[in-house]
Amino acid sequence: QVQLQESGPGLVKPSQALSLTCAVSGGSITTNIAYLTWIRQPPGKGLEWMGAISAGGTTYYSPSFKSHIFISRDTSKNQFTLQLSSVTPEDTAVYYCASLAGNYWGKGTLVTVSS
């Protein structure tokens, strides 16, 4: 029933900000998703947990991203947003949004950081 879909620019220049949207359909982000998690997978590497946001709006961030990560939600649009500032080519990856408890995953979207 619940479906997630990531979207955003596929190409971002170094030092700029990466911004992705996770649109939710078939359910409410406050009712059906306890924790929305952002996960990424760089080429040739494993999955990396980036952070999460609870149904109440509390955020949790991996210290690996320091102060560059920001996760938010828009209940009126029923969607989530991931922002990663000052990106480098090492941030090139397939980015996923997921509700792990509900086993809902987006298909993922490839973001390439390159000049």
Side-chain angles (χ1 to χ4, degrees):
Q1 190 78 30
V2 174
Q3 292 186 310
L4 310 178
Q5 184 167 15
E6 306 88 347
S7 64
L11 179 63
V12 181
K13 294 182 178 181
S15 80
Q16 294 188 337
L18 180 160
S19 182
L20 298 175
T21 295
C22 177
V24 179
S25 62
S28 170
I29 64 174
T30 57
T31 303
N32 300 105
I33 301 178
Y35 296 90
L36 188 282
T37 301
W38 286 96
I39 300 169
R40 72 178 185 182
Q41 184 171 37
K45 299 183 179 180
L47 298 173
E48 179 181 23
W49 183 82
M50 301 182 69
I53 185 168
S54 73
T58 302
T59 53
Y60 309 86
Y61 301 127
S62 168
S64 299
F65 299 95
K66 300 177 181 179
S67 62
H68 302 301
I69 188 172
F70 182 71
I71 298 173
S72 61
R73 64 174 184 168
D74 188 334
T75 56
S76 66
K77 296 181 179 180
N78 207 44
Q79 64 184 32
F80 302 91
T81 299
L82 167 69
Q83 296 181 90
L84 190 65
S85 64
S86 303
V87 297
T88 71
E90 286 67 47
D91 292 310
T92 295
V94 176
Y95 287 76
Y96 301 90
C97 61
S99 174
L100 301 181
N103 196 30
Y104 308 131
W105 283 72
K107 294 183 297 183
T109 185
L110 174 64
V111 178
T112 299
V113 180
S114 176
S115 60

